[in-house]
Amino acid sequence: MSAPLSAPPSPPPEDNTESAIVLDSLIEYLLSVPEREPVGSELEVLKSIYGPESIRIWESADEDRPSRTPENDTIRYQVVLGLPSPYDDVKVKVLVSLPTTYPASSAPQLQLLSRYIGAFGVDSTLFGSILRTFISSTSGIDFIPDSVCVFDGLQNVLDRCTRWYEDHLSMEKAGELVREGLRGNGIDNLKTVDSPDEAKVGVVDIRQSQPVALPQGIQIFEAEPIVDRKSSFIGRACAISDPSQVPVILAHLSADRRISRAAHPIINAWRCKIGNVLHQDNDDDGETAAGGRLAHLLQILDLSNVLVIVTRYFGGIHLGPDRFKHINQAARNALELGGFLDEDGEGGGKKARTGHGGKKK
């Protein structure tokens, strides 16, 4: 297994003609050396699949010494991949590094060179997962000695980049739908806040809105409070069919004085599937990381078309990490009360049950 790259090498030449000549020369050389013939054959296949203009041999600044040959040094090349339709105008660049012992005993190493995919800046999680393509069998590819595998690795990277891009498009679209819902219901006032206990800067402060009626057909399930050291946690959940319903429901709850006087009235997370696109978002409401934990709960339960809200009343005694345990449990209680969980606690979307000591609103 080759060691992780310490730093990206220098970029390849931009001249397409020169690059094609260098690529063809390398392939010809590799095919002439018996122990490197599999690498040459694989590179020739990749050239035919992705096109010669998509592959460039990568030369770093210290690799211009005369003694350098593909026999005694790592081979590196860049591959430009296009995301599948309808995103085929979005490209990603991947650096392929092949140690001298590939494919006999060492796997290739793949590194994402693109800093952006479309309009979205790539995060460290995606960078790291691609570096582990042939290291982690959980999300990557199992390396089999004496088997060429760059194509499989590149396709695995392309799949992950496509899912990452679709997730970010969904988040962006969800934000647009929520904003449209706010405008359509007259909730378009923005408030910049200074206190860390209030909403995030630039986020709609729905607690300042006028009372709003629940959308037609919405039924909120409210679980019994969880009380610990004078702090109370109340979970609520409801089914939703469109992201634009979310701000209306939250505004409706915020208009309730019993809820609005809480330290953190509407910690929430939601997921809503429209067609084949999953929209999702969450809000800590001043309780740092709480919204993300609720979002993770919905994800692991594999629930969609649901909004879950937790209200926390602070009793004057800090609970430490226990507060997150209670927030998650309050949310789960509300989901169970509303019939969103099956008997094993997994997402099932069954008909609502009411025998858990809670109430419908």
Side-chain angles (χ1 to χ4, degrees):
M1 191 74 66
S2 59
L5 299 176
S6 56
S10 304
E14 291 297 328
D15 185 271
N16 288 334
T17 303
E18 180 184 352
S19 180
I21 293 173
V22 173
L23 175 62
D24 288 341
S25 297
L26 177 62
I27 291 174
E28 183 180 359
Y29 176 82
L30 291 171
L31 292 175
S32 69
V33 180
E35 57 269 27
R36 301 295 270 168
E37 188 274 335
V39 177
S41 297
E42 180 183 46
L43 194 51
E44 194 168 42
V45 170
L46 293 175
K47 174 185 170 184
S48 67
I49 293 173
Y50 298 117
E53 70 283 353
S54 297
I55 301 177
R56 292 172 182 262
I57 303 304
W58 194 281
E59 302 283 356
S60 66
D62 63 347
E63 288 179 340
D64 56 358
R65 56 190 184 278
S67 62
R68 177 184 175 274
T69 71
E71 278 187 292
N72 58 21
D73 216 333
T74 296
I75 295 173
R76 295 190 180 97
Y77 54 89
Q78 169 193 286
V79 182
V80 179
L81 304 173
L83 269 57
S85 181
Y87 317 118
D88 38 10
D89 58 331
V90 178
K91 309 294 184 184
V92 295
K93 295 180 181 180
V94 180
L95 178 65
V96 180
S97 299
L98 304 178
T100 56
T101 50
Y102 170 78
S105 58
S106 299
Q109 185 175 61
L110 307 182
Q111 181 181 11
L112 184 63
L113 296 176
S114 301
R115 299 299 176 184
Y116 290 85
I117 298 180
F120 307 111
V122 177
D123 53 52
S124 59
T125 301
L126 183 61
F127 276 119
S129 70
I130 289 173
L131 278 173
R132 294 191 297 273
T133 297
F134 291 100
I135 299 175
S136 171
S137 59
T138 303
S139 58
I141 300 293
D142 287 324
F143 171 68
I144 301 174
D146 293 316
S147 298
V148 293
C149 55
V150 171
F151 174 75
D152 291 338
L154 290 174
Q155 290 304 111
N156 182 272
V157 167
L158 188 59
D159 289 344
R160 273 181 285 165
C161 288
T162 302
R163 289 196 300 270
W164 184 93
Y165 183 65
E166 288 177 335
D167 286 345
H168 282 69
L169 283 179
S170 295
M171 292 171 62
E172 184 180 56
K173 181 62 176 176
E176 292 175 1
L177 291 170
V178 168
R179 288 191 292 273
E180 289 173 6
L182 288 168
R183 289 193 293 268
N185 289 277
I187 315 172
D188 56 359
N189 55 309
L190 299 180
K191 180 187 176 184
T192 301
V193 297
D194 299 319
S195 170
D197 293 329
E198 296 188 47
K200 294 177 287 186
V201 172
V203 175
V204 173
D205 185 4
I206 60 178
R207 282 173 283 183
Q208 302 300 319
S209 306
Q210 296 299 316
V212 177
L214 279 176
Q216 187 175 4
I218 294 295
Q219 183 180 41
I220 299 176
F221 295 86
E222 180 180 310
E224 289 294 331
I226 296 173
V227 181
D228 182 7
R229 287 163 276 181
K230 299 183 181 180
S231 284
S232 296
F233 303 81
I234 299 176
R236 296 177 178 87
C238 65
I240 58 174
S241 57
D242 192 278
S244 62
Q245 295 174 328
V246 173
V248 185
I249 297 168
L250 298 181
H252 172 82
L253 292 173
S254 296
D256 186 329
R257 291 185 179 180
R258 180 176 58 97
I259 296 174
S260 64
R261 66 181 175 85
H264 308 287
I266 48 170
I267 304 165
N268 67 86
W270 58 271
R271 303 176 94 209
C272 187
K273 193 169 186 178
I274 300 178
N276 293 323
V277 179
L278 179 65
H279 305 283
Q280 56 189 334
D281 202 359
N282 66 84
D283 191 345
D284 298 334
D285 196 19
E287 183 70 276
T288 304
R293 290 169 184 260
L294 291 183
H296 181 64
L297 176 66
L298 295 182
Q299 180 183 3
I300 62 176
L301 293 176
D302 195 23
L303 293 176
S304 58
N305 291 28
V306 63
L307 164 66
V308 63
I309 309 105
V310 174
T311 300
R312 184 200 176 178
Y313 299 88
F314 181 55
I317 301 173
H318 292 290
L319 304 183
D322 284 349
R323 67 190 188 278
F324 296 118
K325 176 182 67 177
H326 298 323
I327 288 170
N328 265 27
Q329 189 59 54
R332 195 180 185 100
N333 290 348
L335 291 168
E336 185 175 8
L337 175 65
F340 297 99
L341 309 181
D342 60 25
E343 293 179 359
D344 295 325
E346 301 297 330
K350 291 188 176 182
K351 185 178 178 182
R353 296 166 291 167
T354 56
H356 294 17
K359 58 185 177 182
K360 300 178 187 176
K361 182 174 178 179

